[in-house]
Structure formats: C-alpha cells, structure tokens
Amino acid sequence: MPARLRVGFFLHSIRSDWNNGNAHFLRGLVRAMGQLDHRVTVFEQENNWSVDNLLSEERCGSTSLEQFAHVYSDISVNSYKLSVEDLRPLVPDLDVVIVHEWNPPELIDALLTLREEHKFATLFHDTHHRASSTPDAIKTMQVTRFDGVLVFGESLRLVYQRDFRVQNVWTLHEAADTSVFYPREALKTTDVVWIGNWGDDERSTEIKQFLVRPAARAAASTTIYGVRYPEEALNTLADAGIRFGGYLPNLDAPATYASARLTLHIPRQQYSRAVDGIPTIRVFEALASGIPLISAPWRDTEQLFCPGDFCWAGSEDEMTEAMSFLIGNSDAARRQADQGLSTVLKRHTCAHRAAELTAICEEVLAR
C-alpha cells in the first residue's frame, strides 16, 4: 500500500469559479492532499465553459485567473483534450483517478478504457443533485464501472445505492479551505451580504422570501453578489434597494464577509427536499470567516453543526427578526460567529477531508 499516493483529479475547472462552486472545495482538498505528501495533479478540460464565461467578465475575468495562480501556486493544473490518445500519456503513473461529475461522458469512456491498460483505481465524485433530479444524466457516466463513488451527503449516498445499484459509495462532505477562509478585520460597510447565484429558478422564491423582503423590513443595508441574474431578478433587487455587485471571485469572499455584519444561507429546493441534509459550501466558508449566519430552512440530518453555530429562520417573519437581532446586538453576533468558527475548525476543514479521502483511496487500492 503506497504511503504516498499519486492522485489525478479530472475536473471541469479548478481555476475558474464562475458559476462553479465545485472549485471552492476542490481547491482546498487538492491543497490539503498535497500537504499530506501525496502527489496530486489536476486535469482541466481545454476551453471549458466556466473559464470562457469568466473571461467574458469585463471587470475582473483574467484577474481572477491570475489571483488563483498566485494563491494556489502549489496546485499543478494541466489541460487535456477529449481523446484516448491525448489522455494516455497523462495517466500511467497514477494510483487513483478521481473524476468529478461535471465532466462529459466522453471523458468517462476514455478513462475507463485507459484503466484496462494501466490498472489505476477510479472514483466518481458527485457534488450536485443531478443523481436525484435528472438521473438520466448520471446514467451516461457509467458509475457502476467505477471502483467507487464519492458523494457530498448521506442522502445522496442512499440515492446511488438505491437507484444506481452502486455498492461502494462514501460520503465525503465539502469543507472550508481554512488557508484562505479565516476571520479578518475590516470596516463594516453593509449589514447583510449574500454571495450566490440566482440558480435557474431553483430558489428564486426563497431568495425573495428569506432575503429581499426581510432585508427591507429590517431596514438592513444589503449587498448581493453572483452571476446569471435575469433582468427580472435585477429589477426586484433594485426595487428593494439592494445593491447588486455581480461576479465576485471566491478568493475575495473572506474580505467581503469581513465587511458585513451577517450573511445568509438560502438552499436550493433540491437540498431542502429530495436530497436534504446537504449545506452549500458557502456555509462552511462563511463560518470559517467568522461571520454570523442565518439559514433558511433545511434539515441538518447528519448533525454536521451544533445548536448555536448559526440562526435558523423558518419563515419571513423569523428571518426579519433574526436580522434585526444580530444587526442590533454585536456581542450576541460575535458569540454566534465564534461558535460557528469553532465547529468548522474542529470538524469541517479541507485537512479533515483530505485525511478521509486518503483512507478511502487506501481502502480501494487494497482491493
């Protein structure tokens, strides 16, 4: 059993976080695996959708890529083309190949073909709700041919076992990259900040119910960052007096959190219903940044967090009340933020997940 694993991650993109929240955790996980002395290489598809859209951001597209290269100079990123011939020289020296779910089926075909030649282990990594909401898309990924599947929540693990008949499924929760996300001191320039995308109407109703209207009722100065907001959504924010900041590089998020008095978690409908119990990556990142957080409804079925790590708001009235309380009570807000930060540092850092992933890889290789 190799103490020092040779791991290859095949990802849509790790350099660009434009509408690609997967990059947040994966950056930290890859870094943490390297800190365990594993040899980790990232393979990113040429001319991918997220990078292309990032570069169309006039304000900071190319700057964001430069920022990634500077902050994560320890991560080796290689581009690849979709063919067996082009992939063949990339994989011979790997022990484990991890393929993220946001990849084309053609990549899966090529890698599974090459596995027969080079005998590396393969793991499929799913950090989305498609296995539940659009299972036909996952069926094209040939998940039963992998040596196992990594999922970011227990409810999704059960979906793979029940609906796809995959025997070896491990829960690997997302976590905060605490080399980037940690408390900072800054002047408070807004009461509420929310970083999130509109999401194809997966939570448009919830954004209005748990953010737009409560912020207006609490007279809270509010700023929203994100992409893919339709004109109707932008008009709704403008009518409510909410500032829209557009795309925010995730590496700027810690400083942005530091400039606000509180933030929110508004889960997409899939994560509060079909595959409940899975928080967005921004919950981990916000708590790691030391900012008070209020969450719209979801069920913490795996007890990832402790009572008091953040506030729960089950209705528009409760959200308004929680906003007003935390804005007006700095000591209580500080105590809540400190507790949330403590829980993340004890349970939910990328170092924790790297240790878990190492154990999973060793288990797979032992077979």
Side-chain angles (χ1 to χ4, degrees):
M1 190 68 58
R4 183 173 187 258
L5 298 172
R6 299 167 301 174
V7 183
F9 284 83
F10 281 82
L11 312 175
H12 174 79
S13 181
I14 196 171
R15 296 180 302 138
S16 171
D17 56 27
W18 197 96
N19 203 67
N20 180 23
N22 306 302
H24 302 193
F25 169 56
L26 292 167
R27 292 169 174 177
L29 180 63
V30 169
R31 166 170 282 174
M33 290 290 284
Q35 290 171 342
L36 291 178
D37 201 33
H38 301 311
R39 194 188 78 187
V40 184
T41 306
V42 174
F43 301 98
E44 177 179 303
Q45 186 176 353
E46 282 188 348
N47 304 318
N48 65 73
W49 178 87
S50 184
V51 168
D52 289 346
N53 279 279
L54 176 62
L55 291 174
S56 71
E57 291 282 343
E58 295 181 3
R59 190 164 52 90
C60 55
S62 59
T63 303
S64 179
L65 293 177
E66 294 167 2
Q67 185 183 28
F68 166 82
H70 173 71
V71 174
Y72 290 100
S73 58
D74 52 323
I75 294 181
S76 173
V77 183
N78 300 272
S79 62
Y80 70 86
K81 296 179 181 178
L82 279 177
S83 73
V84 171
E85 291 73 20
D86 287 314
L87 291 167
R88 181 172 279 113
L90 305 181
V91 297
D93 296 329
L94 297 175
D95 298 311
V96 181
V97 167
I98 299 175
V99 186
H100 190 262
E101 56 86 22
W102 192 10
N103 272 301
E106 294 85 354
L107 173 66
I108 307 297
D109 282 334
L111 290 174
L112 291 176
T113 297
L114 290 169
R115 181 182 61 176
E116 301 306 313
E117 299 177 16
H118 299 290
K119 306 304 179 185
F120 50 78
T122 53
L123 291 170
F124 186 75
H125 186 198
D126 194 343
T127 56
H128 199 267
H129 59 66
R130 272 182 282 269
S132 171
S133 59
T134 54
D136 287 344
I138 297 300
K139 289 178 181 177
T140 66
M141 298 298 186
Q142 307 179 62
V143 292
T144 57
R145 294 183 60 194
F146 282 77
D147 294 298
V149 174
L150 307 170
V151 297
F152 70 153
E154 181 67 11
S155 60
L156 196 58
R157 186 182 71 84
L158 297 176
V159 168
Y160 270 91
Q161 290 186 326
R162 181 189 68 234
D163 299 343
F164 297 94
R165 299 292 189 264
V166 177
Q167 181 178 359
N168 299 316
V169 190
W170 293 269
T171 297
L172 184 73
H173 296 110
E174 292 185 315
D177 180 1
T178 50
S179 69
V180 172
F181 286 86
Y182 53 84
R184 290 162 164 78
E185 294 296 328
L187 178 68
K188 304 300 180 186
T189 57
T190 190
D191 292 324
V192 180
V193 66
W194 187 65
I195 308 172
N197 303 327
W198 190 254
D200 299 323
D201 287 331
E202 290 181 338
R203 58 181 168 195
S204 54
T205 299
E206 289 78 6
I207 291 172
K208 296 171 186 175
Q209 179 182 2
F210 291 101
L211 196 167
V212 176
R213 293 196 295 267
R217 292 172 60 187
S221 59
T222 303
T223 303
I224 289 178
Y225 295 94
V227 299
R228 300 182 71 192
Y229 278 70
E231 184 176 357
E232 177 186 358
L234 295 175
N235 291 337
T236 297
L237 300 184
D239 292 343
I242 293 174
R243 176 179 174 266
F244 179 67
Y247 166 71
L248 181 77
N250 196 49
L251 291 173
D252 290 342
T256 301
Y257 284 137
S259 68
R261 291 180 173 83
L262 63 92
T263 190
L264 308 178
H265 170 45
I266 307 175
R268 298 173 190 269
Q269 294 167 4
Q270 285 287 334
Y271 299 124
S272 58
R273 300 174 187 174
V275 283
D276 61 353
I278 302 175
T280 175
I281 182 64
R282 294 201 187 274
V283 173
F284 299 112
E285 292 177 341
L287 296 182
S289 299
I291 184 174
L293 182 143
I294 311 171
S295 179
W298 65 285
R299 296 194 306 154
D300 186 10
T301 54
E302 298 183 61
Q303 298 181 323
L304 298 173
F305 302 101
C306 302
D309 286 348
F310 50 82
C311 290
W312 293 95
S315 66
E316 181 179 323
D317 288 342
E318 289 181 6
M319 180 62 79
T320 304
E321 182 179 351
M323 281 185 182
S324 299
F325 176 77
L326 289 175
I327 292 170
N329 293 269
S330 58
D331 289 343
R334 182 74 268 150
R335 286 193 298 271
Q336 178 185 304
D338 288 345
Q339 181 177 323
L341 171 62
S342 177
T343 294
V344 167
L345 295 179
K346 289 177 182 176
R347 302 182 182 180
H348 303 306
T349 70
C350 287
H352 290 104
R353 302 300 181 257
E356 295 167 17
L357 180 57
T358 297
I360 292 169
C361 289
E362 290 177 344
E363 179 182 343
V364 170
L365 291 170
R367 296 174 181 168

